[in-house]
Amino acid sequence: MTWNNSLANILNWSGDISNQSDKMQVAEQVGNFVNDGDVIGVGSGSTAFLALQAIAERVKIERMNVQAIPTSKEAALNCTVLEIPVTTLTAARPDWGFDGADEVDGMKRLIKGRGGALFAEKLVMASAQKTFILVDESKFVSKLGAAFAVPIEVDPRAIHLVETKLHDAFSPESVNLRMAVSKDGPVITEAGNVLLDVKFEEITSTMEQEISALPGVIESGLFLDYPVEILST
């Protein structure tokens, strides 16, 4: 067996892609933004997956030199299969990036993290001059937190502490430890942490910083004040 025929090179999204035709249109827009020499932050999610394929096709046709900073091992593997060189935040700063979102409100505030890569996604987004958020109409909400809980990445040793602090500070509607689907126990992030999915009645402009300040919290899925441009169909 050759490497070209290995399982790692069978590039397919794991499951059905909802609203795929709409997401393809958004992905093709992103492919047109690439310039030779760009360092691009590569996000996670199904729309970002389609955008990466569009970028790879243009890079190959026009023989561009680009580098990617992936936000997850999954994104890094996709870059490798599509022959897009990978670098890191310690070696380069992204010129721009692209990513998906779970919710977007009218002030371009986001909830992200359903895929579990929120910590790296926030690092890359904060480092880039601009990040294109790729969504279909189903992701827009009039009130942030209306459809999704806020993921909070927590050091496993601090689960009970963080839960107590969250209840004391915010009186959330619910706090749930995210459990895995295809393995026993909770979801473990790439950094070795766990995720709490927290439903808040109201999300304020200061809540991202307040949650991040709690002992044991690594990062939250609130993205409230970042240089983003929303791309949708």
Side-chain angles (χ1 to χ4, degrees), residues 135-149:
V135 292
D136 58 51
E137 290 296 327
S138 68
K139 301 301 178 67
F140 290 99
V141 295
S142 58
K143 179 183 177 182
L144 203 66
F148 284 97

Side-chain angles (χ1 to χ4, degrees), residues 11 19 33 70 73 90 99-100 102-103 135 152 175 182 197 205 221 231 233:
L11 191 65
N19 305 313
F33 297 148
K73 290 183 174 66
T90 56
D99 208 339
D102 302 321
E103 284 189 4
V135 292
I152 300 177
V175 179
S182 298
D197 289 320
S205 60
L231 295 182
T233 54

Side-chain angles (χ1 to χ4, degrees), residues 197-217:
D197 289 320
V198 186
K199 199 77 170 65
F200 296 102
E201 184 176 346
E202 189 74 28
I203 294 175
T204 68
S205 60
T206 59
M207 194 174 287
E208 180 181 0
Q209 289 75 23
E210 291 168 352
I211 292 173
S212 295
L214 297 178
V217 169

